[in-house]
């Protein structure tokens, strides 16, 4: 039954479709071009299970801490796919790819990509606030 209790397909309100469009736009900004994202996901799906599990872990981390603009994020995900595809083809062990500290490995990848959106803006604000508080801007030291 739908919300009116008459059965059939639930009514879709304008706010539902607007919300869907908002989510779609937000995801597009985060993951970039949908075609490239689908290609990346298809490539990952073709990896051997252990490599795919490792990429899934990297992807999850990147979704939280990686670049926030679509182009950088998509390029970074593609780089991860390239790296793990080559490693799987060569038989390179996963630990040899990521080392003993997977967080440091992914953070090093992230540093190669410019952070977009609010992250970069807030980083600059923080640096400016500390510089002003320390008196660096007027040549004084505190």
């Amino acid at each position: 039954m739908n919300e009116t209790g008459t059965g059939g397909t639930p009514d879709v309100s304008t706010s539902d479709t607007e919300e869907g469009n908002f989510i779609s736009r937000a995801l597009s900004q985060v993951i970039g071009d949908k075609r490239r994202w689908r290609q990346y996901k298809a490539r990952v799906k073709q990896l051997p299970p252990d490599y795919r599990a490792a990429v899934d872990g990297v992807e999850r981390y990147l979704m939280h801490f990686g670049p926030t603009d679509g182009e950088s994020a998509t390029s970074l995900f593609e780089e991860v796919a390239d790296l793990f595809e080559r490693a799987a083809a060569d038989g390179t062990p996963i630990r040899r790819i990521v080392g003993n500290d997977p967080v440091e490995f992914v953070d090093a990848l992230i540093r190669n990509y410019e952070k977009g959106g609010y992250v970069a803006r807030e980083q600059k604000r923080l640096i400016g606030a500390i510089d002003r508080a320390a008196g660096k801007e007027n040549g004084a030291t505190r």
Side-chain angles (χ1 to χ4, degrees):
M1 286 192 190
N2 68 11
E3 293 175 346
T4 61
T6 60
T9 306
D11 295 330
V12 177
S13 70
T14 303
S15 64
D16 290 337
T17 54
E18 288 172 357
E19 181 178 313
N21 288 338
F22 171 76
I23 292 170
S24 178
R25 283 192 311 271
L27 281 174
S28 291
Q29 288 176 351
V30 172
I31 61 173
D33 181 16
K34 290 179 190 177
R35 180 183 49 78
R36 286 175 64 196
W37 177 253
R38 287 186 191 117
Q39 289 172 341
Y40 156 77
K41 292 302 278 184
R43 291 171 62 192
V44 170
K45 191 174 182 177
Q46 298 300 312
L47 289 170
D50 291 343
Y51 291 85
R52 186 172 53 244
V55 171
D56 288 345
V58 170
E59 180 182 310
R60 201 170 25 261
Y61 185 87
L62 287 172
M63 286 292 194
H64 293 285
F65 303 107
T68 56
D69 68 293
E71 178 60 33
S72 292
T74 303
S75 295
L76 179 51
F77 286 121
E78 290 169 338
E79 180 179 337
V80 169
D82 290 343
L83 180 64
F84 279 86
E85 283 171 339
R86 283 192 309 267
D90 295 341
T92 304
I94 293 169
R95 279 287 177 195
R96 191 150 177 219
I97 303 165
V98 301
N100 291 327
D101 187 352
V103 173
E104 177 54 36
F105 166 76
V106 178
D107 285 346
L109 287 173
I110 292 169
R111 283 191 292 271
N112 291 327
Y113 289 84
E114 188 175 315
K115 290 184 180 179
Y118 75 95
V119 175
R121 183 174 58 246
E122 289 306 316
Q123 288 173 337
K124 289 177 185 174
R125 279 181 140 167
L126 172 61
I127 291 167
I130 298 301
D131 285 348
R132 285 188 299 282
K136 182 177 177 183
E137 289 185 342
N138 15 342
T141 56
R142 292 184 188 175

